[in-house]
Amino acid sequence: MKKRVLVTGGAGFIGSHLCEYLLSKGHEVFCLDNFFTGSKENIIHLKSEKYFEIIRHDIINPFHIETDEIYNLACPASPQHYQYNPIKTMKTSVIGSINMLGLAKRVNAKILQASTSEVYGDPKMHPQSEEYWGNVNPIGKRSCYDVGKRASETLCMDYHRQNNVHIKIVRIFNTYEPRMMPNDGRVVSNFILQALQDKDITVFGDGKQTRSFQYVDDLIIGLYKMMNTSNSIIGPINIGNTEEFTILELAVKIIELTNSKSKIIHLPLPEDDPLRRKPNIDLAKETLNWKPITKLEEGLIKTINYFDKCIKNNRDYSTLNKFN
């Protein structure tokens, strides 16, 4: 059945892939974005689609539309971007979520809130399961994002309990793919661009901190499966890859795959940078019949090939940001 689906943050690297996937499933898609971190290049190829519409809008302002489902992905997600204007980041998570939940309430739509593994902070439980409450600094530089996303989950639960809004909460773990903004400070894009240009690979701290990287295709399927569960399934549910790598291992792997002459150098670790990050996805396996299938090397090769083409087309990636 064709549905009218609103995707906030639809021009971002995750949102744009979700828009494509929803269109492939035969739905009518409304892509809402203020283009702060999203890019028209990510969605320009969809403009000719009959059932696709692009709307420039910031969700901290109310928005009205008739829709069956809402995927609320809008929020800067890289350290550079969410720390650039931390108050705006918090507004997006709190006021933006209130606006989208209010819309869902008015039109009786299901809403999926894209939360994050950052709600676990620097976790003392490993791997992280959904019942873990986390270890988050409420007054640090990352708090605008970490605490903001925790607040958006709280709002979802309160709208569900008080107003019977049909909610879904997904906690997304580190995701990568070719449409990542090259200078947004994420470790995968930073390392790839540095390696392709034979520049020093900047590893923060001793590089022994771990992450679990999932390719975007796996995430999109998880989001879609979650939205299409019964109303009794609300989450939160972790969506991520359980293959854990140190940052140093990632750097070595990217140097190997790019045949780079880059050297690895070490810089001070950013404030509140989590030491370990790996999801427990038992709930996703049981509830959604979902698990990631893309191996790290396979996804890295696709991402490397994309950025290599961009560099050969003379896109300027000379300035990289200092965040892992």
Side-chain angles (χ1 to χ4, degrees):
M1 181 180 72
K2 184 182 292 294
K3 298 175 184 175
R4 291 168 58 91
V5 184
L6 176 67
V7 180
T8 75
F13 83 85
I14 293 175
S16 60
H17 280 277
L18 179 60
C19 288
E20 285 179 346
Y21 191 77
L22 290 167
L23 287 167
S24 75
K25 293 293 185 179
H27 301 305
E28 184 174 6
V29 179
F30 299 89
C31 168
L32 197 71
D33 209 295
N34 67 354
F35 296 101
F36 172 55
T37 58
S39 171
K40 289 183 179 179
E41 290 183 4
N42 291 339
I43 52 173
I44 196 68
H45 62 291
L46 300 177
K47 283 192 69 176
S48 61
E49 292 283 343
K50 180 179 179 181
Y51 293 106
F52 181 71
E53 185 173 341
I54 304 169
I55 305 167
R56 179 185 287 271
H57 186 84
D58 192 320
I59 65 167
I60 68 170
N61 300 308
F63 183 73
H64 302 282
I65 194 173
E66 293 294 325
T67 185
D68 301 305
E69 295 176 348
I70 302 167
Y71 290 83
N72 188 25
L73 275 59
C75 190
S78 71
Q80 178 201 351
H81 287 135
Y82 66 64
Q83 292 176 27
Y84 174 77
N85 188 339
I87 295 173
K88 179 65 180 294
T89 298
M90 183 67 82
K91 283 183 176 179
T92 302
S93 290
V94 177
I95 299 173
S97 293
I98 289 172
N99 285 332
M100 290 301 104
L101 286 160
L103 172 62
K105 176 187 172 184
R106 286 191 298 273
V107 301
N108 195 31
K110 283 198 292 186
I111 179 169
L112 184 148
Q113 173 62 43
S115 189
T116 171
S117 60
E118 296 293 332
V119 301
Y120 298 120
D122 187 7
K124 297 183 181 297
M125 171 188 281
H126 192 80
Q128 296 82 56
S129 59
E130 291 85 354
E131 68 268 14
Y132 178 52
W133 290 358
N135 177 41
V136 175
N137 177 3
I139 57 172
K141 290 183 178 179
R142 300 171 70 105
S143 306
C144 58
Y145 186 67
D146 302 0
V147 177
K149 286 293 190 177
R150 287 163 75 97
S152 67
E153 289 192 16
T154 301
L155 285 163
C156 284
M157 293 303 302
D158 288 337
Y159 267 81
H160 173 69
R161 286 186 287 248
Q162 184 172 327
N163 299 311
N164 200 31
V165 173
H166 304 305
I167 66 163
K168 310 282 181 182
I169 302 172
V170 169
R171 291 175 178 165
I172 300 172
F173 281 67
N174 293 67
T175 305
Y176 70 100
E177 64 90 46
R179 289 180 195 162
M180 299 168 70
M181 294 185 69
N183 296 338
D184 71 358
R186 286 185 171 93
V187 63
V188 172
S189 53
N190 268 13
F191 284 4
I192 288 174
L193 287 169
Q194 289 168 337
L196 287 171
Q197 298 173 94
D198 291 325
K199 296 185 176 182
D200 289 339
I201 302 288
T202 50
V203 171
F204 296 93
D206 59 12
K208 293 180 181 178
Q209 65 271 36
T210 68
R211 299 293 184 270
S212 302
F213 300 100
Q214 72 174 330
Y215 194 67
V216 71
D217 291 354
D218 293 329
L219 169 63
I220 296 305
I221 293 172
L223 295 178
Y224 189 76
K225 281 177 172 280
M226 181 63 169
M227 179 64 90
N228 286 278
T229 55
S230 69
N231 290 339
S232 63
I233 298 172
I234 63 176
I237 290 183
N238 292 335
I239 297 292
N241 199 308
T242 56
E243 292 187 329
E244 185 179 12
F245 297 89
T246 67
I247 296 299
L248 198 56
E249 286 173 331
L250 176 69
V252 170
K253 173 61 71 174
I254 288 174
I255 289 173
E256 174 190 321
L257 292 175
T258 56
N259 195 27
S260 175
K261 299 176 183 177
S262 295
K263 307 295 183 184
I264 295 173
I265 63 171
H266 294 265
L267 298 177
L269 197 65
E271 180 183 334
D272 296 327
D273 194 62
L275 295 180
R276 300 191 76 183
R277 185 63 60 74
K278 174 184 175 179
N280 179 316
I281 60 170
D282 289 346
L283 189 58
K285 289 178 179 178
E286 295 166 8
T287 307
L288 308 179
N289 191 28
W290 176 91
K291 64 179 181 180
I293 59 174
T294 307
K295 295 295 184 182
L296 179 64
E297 184 167 321
E298 177 187 350
L300 285 178
I301 289 171
K302 292 178 182 178
T303 309
I304 287 167
N305 289 341
Y306 172 83
F307 283 125
D308 189 40
K309 289 179 182 177
C310 289
I311 289 173
K312 289 175 179 175
N313 289 333
N314 297 317
R315 292 183 67 174
D316 180 16
Y317 298 143
S318 59
T319 304
L320 295 176
N321 300 296
K322 298 183 178 180
F323 295 92
N324 277 356

